[in-house]
Amino acid sequence: MSTLTETAEVAPGYHPGRTLPLRVELARQLKRRRTLIMGGILAALPFVLVVAFAIGGDPGGRNDQVTLMDTATASGANFAAVNLFVSAGFLLVIPVALFCGDTVASEASWSSLRYLLAAPVPRTRLLWSKLVVGLGLSLAAMVLLPVVALAVGTAAYGWGPLEIPTGGALAAGTAAQRLVVIVAYVFVSQLVTAGLAFWLSTRTDAPLGAVGGAVGLTIVGNVLDAVTALGHWRDFLPAHWQFAWADAVQPRPEWSGMIQGTAVSVAYALVLFALAFRSFARKDVVS
């Protein structure tokens, strides 16, 4: 009898797992103006840097110290690495906060969130679809920048090994593999920002508040990491490990920093994602 009752309460052909398919949500987000604008900004950065180097001249060592920036024009691989270096601290934070923080709050601001839930789309399914698409777009943004930079840098400075500031070089094939590792690590390190933005997106109807809050808290983390008086407490800050990927740009890469950074970022992100699902499950959606 219970089986017949449960069957009668469910509309024929209705499957909760098939509501709001990822392809539908992805298509909706790709068509949004903010997605196109952010993609254009990231794709334009390598061209801006090429023009800057052309106007200002090739970068050179200062005070007999050679940094990664000083090798930017050595090859396409060096140019791609420099683009990641100058953008990882702040620029790449913005698309992550935007794609993960705007996704739920924007639906609430448009008063369309309750209609999605009335479709009926289960709350967990709705959040899961939006989170996967938001993280997917964030990863795409991080891949877009070095790919365009590698193409532009190769056209401007040629295809060659990645010259290491401390001496030596990585073959072009090895350098490409290391760049993949770097992009993967940068993405993982930004999961904390994604978690913050996504959690705030379930707590507010203002997309700007969720995006700005995530960016602001990320900046606060960077400021705290600069306070050397905190000592070893900084090891628990995700910002402390955001440039640990530099250890991969060595003849013999050191992985300990990236392993610790990954553990810290994933731990924070899991807690924040769990808070987002928990708060949204109990939220009274009226918009």
Side-chain angles (χ1 to χ4, degrees):
M1 290 296 292
S2 60
T3 304
L4 293 175
T5 303
E6 293 175 359
T7 304
E9 292 176 351
V10 178
Y14 172 72
H15 298 282
R18 296 181 183 177
T19 55
L20 194 61
L22 292 178
R23 66 179 183 278
V24 174
E25 178 64 18
L26 178 60
R28 294 176 68 231
Q29 299 301 328
L30 286 175
K31 292 177 182 178
R32 296 187 59 185
R33 186 176 301 174
R34 51 90 157 154
T35 304
L36 301 176
I37 292 175
M38 182 53 62
I41 292 174
L42 292 174
L45 178 62
F47 293 95
V48 173
L49 289 181
V50 165
V51 173
F53 289 140
I55 295 175
D58 293 339
R62 298 172 181 82
N63 300 325
D64 297 327
Q65 293 182 352
V66 181
T67 64
L68 184 62
M69 179 65 74
D70 299 321
T71 65
T73 59
S75 68
N78 279 90
F79 185 71
V82 166
N83 273 263
L84 286 171
F85 177 75
V86 300
S87 59
F90 181 73
L91 181 59
L92 289 179
V93 173
I94 297 177
V96 175
L98 183 64
F99 294 142
C100 294
D102 178 71
T103 180
V104 178
S106 62
E107 297 283 1
S109 67
W110 298 334
S111 298
S112 59
L113 186 57
R114 57 182 174 181
Y115 295 107
L116 281 174
L117 294 176
V121 180
R123 294 193 178 201
T124 302
R125 175 65 182 180
L126 184 144
L127 280 192
W128 175 253
S129 295
K130 289 189 172 294
L131 177 59
V132 170
V133 171
L135 291 177
L137 290 176
S138 300
L139 178 59
M142 295 182 188
V143 172
L144 175 65
L145 177 62
V147 168
V148 175
L150 187 60
V152 173
T154 300
Y157 311 118
W159 176 259
L162 191 155
E163 295 188 8
I164 301 174
T166 55
L170 297 176
T174 302
Q177 295 174 4
R178 298 289 178 83
L179 287 174
V180 172
V181 172
I182 291 172
V183 170
Y185 179 75
V186 172
F187 173 72
V188 172
S189 67
Q190 294 297 339
L191 286 177
V192 179
T193 300
L196 277 170
F198 195 68
W199 174 57
L200 291 174
S201 187
T202 64
R203 303 290 298 177
T204 179
D205 294 349
L208 185 59
V211 176
V215 173
L217 289 172
T218 301
I219 293 175
V220 169
N222 291 335
V223 172
L224 289 176
D225 183 57
V227 181
T228 56
L230 291 175
H232 293 298
W233 287 105
R234 294 185 300 164
D235 293 346
F236 297 97
L237 295 173
H240 186 66
W241 306 100
Q242 63 180 335
F243 290 108
W245 59 263
D247 294 336
V249 191
Q250 301 293 336
R252 306 181 89 179
E254 175 60 46
W255 305 109
S256 61
M258 286 187 285
I259 291 174
Q260 293 180 70
T262 297
V264 171
S265 296
V266 171
Y268 277 106
L270 288 176
V271 172
L272 290 167
F273 289 143
L275 286 175
F277 277 86
R278 182 176 182 272
S279 64
F280 191 69
R282 302 181 177 186
K283 183 178 181 179
D284 185 13
V285 179
V286 295
S287 59

